[in-house]
């Protein structure tokens, strides 16, 4: 029996009741000023699947990642599949914060404006705290948190000056709990969740929608090492479709898939440490 399954019925009932009360959608969300999207981390995993899903839904896209050769391959595939769509690619390391702002400006010029910026780039590293992994842990936080903050900051600056838009940041359902063995990932996603929450308060009813995406297990290289230890796993194509459904609905906080991960997200920070240890990543 998993730690989540061992939670009592009262807490599960409370979580389910909560689902009907949370503000899942920005009620004042205006139409996007342009059907265009800027995406980081587009060379593999969820980012690659999202690039295809965006094109399929009629978006012109500007795709970035560190590995330009993979982006060029992706552009060729997308151009062949969606000849009516504009697909631009550029090498970008989100830890080079000034380069992020310049690249978003370039995307706006090339696409004639931006309607959506998706901060998806992320990494995960293993290793327990205090066992010589600090530099790897620091690098993960630099990508997952500071790189996302740089992307979001530049996006908001653009949207403030150009009639609004939608900024999307990728957190995780584990942001609410520190899983043993996953400290840098959990910490970076928790930080990004709070950053986006603060931003949402700053921008509420401003014409800029802020969406936090908190995926459960989607079959990507970042979690492939866990093998069969990935409950409720879905493939990247399904994940991208569900993610875009939530983004386009104007969701402010989107667990994906919504069932069962909204309940899991609620329960995780309430699991006792003695049970949480069983979820060692």
């Amino acid at each position: 029996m998993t730690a989540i399954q061992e939670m009592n019925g009262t807490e599960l009932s409370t979580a389910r009741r909560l689902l009907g009360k949370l503000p899942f959608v920005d009620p004042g969300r205006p139409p996007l000023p342009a059907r265009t999207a800027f995406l980081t981390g587009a060379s593999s995993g969820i980012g690659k699947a999202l690039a295809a899903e965006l094109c399929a839904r009629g978006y012109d896209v500007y795709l970035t990642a560190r590995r330009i050769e993979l982006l060029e391959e992706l552009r060729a595939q997308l151009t062949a599949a969606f000849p009516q769509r504009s697909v631009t690619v550029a090498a970008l390391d989100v830890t080079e914060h000034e380069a992020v702002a310049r690249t978003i400006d370039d995307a706006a010029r090339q696409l004639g404006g931006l309607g959506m910026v998706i901060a998806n780039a992320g990494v995960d590293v293993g290793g327990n705290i205090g066992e010589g992994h600090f530099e790897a842990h620091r690098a993960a936080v630099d990508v997952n948190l500071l790189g996302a903050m740089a992307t979001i900051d530049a996006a908001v600056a653009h949207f403030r000056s150009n009639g609004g838009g939608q900024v999307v940041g990728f957190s995780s359902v584990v942001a609410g709990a520190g899983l043993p063995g996953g400290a840098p990932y959990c910490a970076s996603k928790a930080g990004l969740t709070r950053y986006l929450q603060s931003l949402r308060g700053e921008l509420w009813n401003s014409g800029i929608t802020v969406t936090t995406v908190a995926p459960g297990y989607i079959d990507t290289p970042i979690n492939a090492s866990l093998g069969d230890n990935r409950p409720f796993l879905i493939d990247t194509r399904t994940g991208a479709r569900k993610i875009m459904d939530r983004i386009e609905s104007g969701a402010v906080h989107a667990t994906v898939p919504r069932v069962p991960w909204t309940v899991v997200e609620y329960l995780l920070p309430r699991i006792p440490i003695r049970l949480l240890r069983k979820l060692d990543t």
Side-chain angles (χ1 to χ4, degrees):
M1 181 178 291
T2 67
I4 292 170
Q5 289 171 327
E6 291 185 47
M7 297 300 293
N8 65 57
T10 300
E11 287 183 312
L12 185 59
S13 176
T14 300
R16 287 171 174 162
R17 288 199 306 272
L18 187 64
L19 298 185
K21 299 179 181 179
L22 291 177
F24 285 115
V25 177
D26 179 353
R29 180 179 184 268
L32 294 179
R35 202 161 179 81
T36 54
F38 176 97
L39 174 65
T40 66
S43 61
S44 67
I46 293 175
K48 183 176 181 180
L50 271 177
E53 186 68 22
L54 283 161
C55 287
R57 295 185 184 222
Y59 289 82
D60 293 330
V61 295
Y62 192 107
L63 310 176
T64 70
R66 289 178 294 182
R67 297 172 290 182
I68 188 63
E69 68 282 358
L70 295 182
L71 288 176
E72 293 287 2
E73 292 176 10
L74 178 59
R75 175 168 62 179
Q77 295 167 0
L78 294 176
T79 300
F82 307 101
Q84 73 278 27
R85 299 273 61 85
S86 171
V87 180
T88 305
V89 298
L92 177 65
D93 183 340
V94 295
T95 65
E96 298 176 4
H97 305 149
E98 292 183 358
V100 172
R102 291 196 302 270
T103 307
I104 286 179
D105 287 342
D106 182 65
R109 285 193 298 272
Q110 295 214 34
L111 296 178
L114 283 175
M116 182 183 299
V117 171
I118 305 175
N120 165 71
V123 298
D124 192 13
V125 295
N128 291 334
I129 297 169
E131 295 183 355
H133 305 290
F134 177 76
E135 284 305 313
H137 290 182
R138 180 201 58 76
V141 172
D142 199 4
V143 173
N144 295 350
L145 179 56
L146 298 181
M149 289 171 60
T151 305
I152 292 162
D153 185 83
V156 171
H158 172 79
F159 291 147
R160 285 186 188 276
S161 302
N162 292 276
Q166 185 170 10
V167 58
V168 181
F170 269 72
S171 180
S172 170
V173 294
V174 303
L179 301 185
Y185 189 79
C186 294
S188 61
K189 295 304 184 181
L192 182 57
T193 296
R194 294 296 168 251
Y195 181 82
L196 290 165
Q197 187 178 42
S198 295
L199 178 63
R200 189 172 299 116
E202 294 176 12
L203 297 178
W204 195 256
N205 288 329
S206 69
I208 303 173
T209 298
V210 180
T211 297
T212 304
V213 176
Y217 283 117
I218 298 176
D219 191 14
T220 68
I222 203 170
N223 58 48
S225 63
L226 296 176
D228 294 334
N229 191 28
R230 294 178 290 175
F232 314 115
L233 182 69
I234 61 174
D235 61 84
T236 53
R237 184 175 180 179
T238 301
R241 175 175 55 80
K242 290 180 178 292
I243 287 167
M244 282 307 303
D245 285 347
R246 300 299 306 280
I247 289 173
E248 290 193 322
S249 76
V252 297
H253 185 94
T255 49
V256 179
R258 190 165 180 172
V259 176
W261 291 107
T262 303
V263 174
V264 174
E265 184 181 51
Y266 174 81
L267 294 178
L268 270 176
R270 293 162 175 81
I271 294 176
I273 291 296
R274 65 182 177 82
L275 299 180
L276 198 63
R277 285 172 56 83
K278 297 180 182 180
L279 301 179
D280 193 327
T281 60

